[in-house]
Amino acid sequence: MTKASPWRGVRLRRTTAAADPDSASRPVSLPAAWEPRAAAALAALAPGSGAAALEAAAAAWIGPLAARAAEAGIAMPLGEALHRLLLTRRGAPEPAIWRGEATACPTFVLNLAAFHDPSHGLDVPGFAQAARLAATAMALVAPAAPAGTALPRHAARLAIGVADLAGLLAALGLDYDGDAARALAASLAARLRKEADAAIAALGLNMAATTAITAPGAAEALLGVETGGIAPAFAPLDDAGALTRTAAAFLAARGITAEAALAATLGGRPPFPAIPSAAHAAMHDAVAPHLHAMPPRPRDDAPMPARHDLPARRAGYTQKAAIGGHKIFLRTGEYADGKLGEIFIGLHKEGPAFRGLMDNFAVAISLGLQHGVPLETFVEAFTFTRFGPAGSVEGDPGVARATSLLDYVFRNLAVNYLGRADLPEAVDTAEDALGDGPRDRSPLLPLDLPQDAAPRPRRRALRLVANS
């Protein structure tokens, strides 16, 4: 490195890091202020398995690009500019370029949050210059030059992209789900494409694509990116339980101290808004027209099905029965068309905890019915559940035996509201058995299916009985 190296005076720290939990650790050297996640990213990006220093690992891919730029007569001080872009955590290429591997689509990501300065705001000229620099560098990645040309052979497409839009918006005090945020994102995407295309045109090249939002990886982690691409920030805390940089910027932009944020959270008024998937989809729609490639559009939140209230005066029935000597009262409520809309389960010999659970279970089933969940779904889920009390059913001519109270309830409802007389008979097994009854040993393959019309009961799912 020359005396003008951007690395001169940078305080470094040495540590050990692994690319992932299953990889061996290796010594790495990087700027002292960079977080452990960046050290792990360097361990993944630097070629080989020995000691890795960020400056040397960067020089290994920047040096050849700078040489090719000089051979092609490009006046830009490309090598120094790329080192500075990396050191300021504004941009970095994909892992293949760090490792000197061939790549069909050279990829470079710009960290939007790093282009913001609290004193001066968003550095738009710096962003434009970085976009042009990244496109120029990626166009020089291919090593072989065709005869008679000064430029090396180039790929058919590039992917110059951005990341951590959420961090930039938070620092600017803009709500992610807002028109101003979407307008800014669209403007930056358009500027990115304009500068990338201009850089390629200046080289006399013709490419099918120059810009794209790609999945985040080690390059983003090295740059300190907290959210990939244009996604919203989903959590205000990092892996260590501290506020993320994005969350801290969000609070600072609104003049909210960490103590005030904690107090608001404890008071049930969290200061960080929940971002619906519809906002992510709207951001995608704002940015997509300006870039060549995008990830799939996020799905909007599915609207909650409307709840259909029961009439104030409703029909239904009350069924009294006994299962293994334990009394149960099942009461139903119906819509005007006779469709089931609610159930109540009354128990008299059970403990208060069990009664409370059954009461709330009945409420949950009723809410499901009122929001459009078919009764057939509940019948399929809860018949043949096994726990005591179980056995012969007294007082209900429609159900002879039950494997549990829930099994009885949904057998009764299936008979009376679905006309289901075809449910297989409950078979006696030991309480809490795990699929050891004769019907549960029925084959799953269609080699010897029962010949009768009655469907075979579902195979019981395994149940955790101990974790020691």
Side-chain angles (χ1 to χ4, degrees), residues 306-362:
R307 180 179 178 181
H308 300 284
D309 293 328
L310 287 157
R313 186 181 181 91
R314 65 202 71 163
Y317 65 83
T318 300
Q319 177 70 58
K320 176 184 177 182
I323 305 169
H326 292 251
K327 291 182 180 179
I328 181 173
F329 290 85
L330 172 63
R331 184 161 61 88
T332 68
E334 302 172 357
Y335 290 100
D337 60 1
K339 186 177 179 180
L340 179 65
E342 67 180 357
I343 65 170
F344 298 91
I345 301 173
L347 303 173
H348 295 280
K349 293 179 62 176
E350 315 306 324
F354 190 72
R355 290 202 306 270
L357 285 173
M358 291 296 281
D359 287 344
N360 285 279
F361 174 80

Side-chain angles (χ1 to χ4, degrees), residues 99-359:
R99 300 169 190 153
E101 299 170 353
T103 176
C105 181
T107 301
F108 200 101
V109 62
L110 299 177
N111 178 11
L112 288 175
F115 289 93
H116 177 266
D117 180 85
S119 302
H120 301 93
L122 177 60
D123 182 8
V124 176
F127 173 73
Q129 183 181 13
R132 186 179 289 259
L133 171 65
T136 302
M138 293 301 95
L140 298 170
V141 163
T149 62
L151 285 171
R153 185 175 64 231
H154 61 276
R157 59 178 59 239
L158 306 178
I160 312 302
V162 296
D164 216 349
L165 172 65
L168 173 63
L169 296 177
L172 292 172
L174 297 177
D175 291 331
Y176 182 92
D177 189 12
D179 292 338
R182 289 187 283 271
L184 176 62
S187 174
L188 290 174
R191 187 64 181 270
L192 176 71
R193 180 167 176 172
K194 174 185 176 182
E195 298 297 338
D197 288 348
I200 298 306
L203 295 175
L205 302 178
N206 183 19
M207 292 188 174
T210 58
T211 54
I213 299 294
T214 58
E220 283 83 354
L222 185 71
L223 298 176
V225 166
E226 290 184 341
T227 55
I230 60 170
F234 292 104
L237 301 180
D238 59 21
D239 294 340
L243 280 177
T244 62
R245 171 181 39 78
T246 300
F250 179 91
L251 296 177
R254 289 160 177 77
I256 303 174
T257 65
E259 292 79 4
L262 176 61
T265 301
L266 293 176
R269 306 181 310 277
F272 304 106
I275 307 298
S277 59
H280 191 186
M283 186 64 75
H284 184 282
D285 294 343
V287 171
H290 306 288
L291 301 180
H292 287 104
M294 293 281 291
R297 184 181 187 273
R299 293 183 177 181
D300 292 350
D301 289 324
M304 181 70 176
R307 180 179 178 181
H308 300 284
D309 293 328
L310 287 157
R313 186 181 181 91
R314 65 202 71 163
Y317 65 83
T318 300
Q319 177 70 58
K320 176 184 177 182
I323 305 169
H326 292 251
K327 291 182 180 179
I328 181 173
F329 290 85
L330 172 63
R331 184 161 61 88
T332 68
E334 302 172 357
Y335 290 100
D337 60 1
K339 186 177 179 180
L340 179 65
E342 67 180 357
I343 65 170
F344 298 91
I345 301 173
L347 303 173
H348 295 280
K349 293 179 62 176
E350 315 306 324
F354 190 72
R355 290 202 306 270
L357 285 173
M358 291 296 281
D359 287 344

